[in-house]
Amino acid sequence: MKFEKHIFVCINERAPGAPRQCCGEATGMAIANRFKELIKEHKLRFKVRAQRSSCFDICEQGPVAIVYPEGIFYKGISVSDVDEIFEHHILNNKPVERLKLTFPKR
């Protein structure tokens, strides 16, 4: 099945005292669950998928979610940001600029 949008949310957890932060400790599961709730509420189960992911190795930017097919990375998001991302990006194809992670050009 091909989805119109596919959302990956990092839920990685590190051992206590690890030198890097992790998205799982910073509400990764709650973020993933909120995306799933909104998909269900909007009856988009066969068009949009949200799923948990392991580490994207950009831990200092977390919590992190990525929306495909655009490949937009969202950084430092909280559960309270999910509704805005869903409304603007998922429903209206307008990424939330204030939460986008931009990578340096190589």
Side-chain angles (χ1 to χ4, degrees), residues 21-41:
Q21 70 182 39
C22 63
C23 297
E25 287 177 357
T27 69
M29 254 331 251
I31 290 167
N33 288 338
R34 182 62 184 145
F35 273 118
K36 289 177 181 189
E37 289 170 2
L38 290 167
I39 290 166
K40 188 175 181 180
E41 284 176 24

Side-chain angles (χ1 to χ4, degrees), residues 6-10 49-53 56 64-68:
H6 206 143
I7 308 158
F8 293 90
V9 180
C10 179
R49 172 134 176 120
Q51 69 184 68
R52 300 167 295 183
S53 174
F56 297 117
V64 174
I66 305 170
V67 178
Y68 285 102

Side-chain angles (χ1 to χ4, degrees), residues 7-12 14 20-32 35 51-68 71-79 81-82 85 99-103:
I7 308 158
F8 293 90
V9 180
C10 179
I11 61 158
N12 192 55
R14 297 187 188 283
R20 295 176 81 187
Q21 70 182 39
C22 63
C23 297
E25 287 177 357
T27 69
M29 254 331 251
I31 290 167
F35 273 118
Q51 69 184 68
R52 300 167 295 183
S53 174
S54 189
C55 187
F56 297 117
D57 204 26
I58 51 175
C59 308
E60 292 72 25
Q61 302 294 330
V64 174
I66 305 170
V67 178
Y68 285 102
I72 302 285
F73 283 70
Y74 287 107
K75 64 176 179 160
I77 62 174
S78 65
V79 175
D81 294 317
V82 173
I85 294 169
L99 297 170
K100 273 177 58 175
L101 174 61
T102 54
F103 296 93

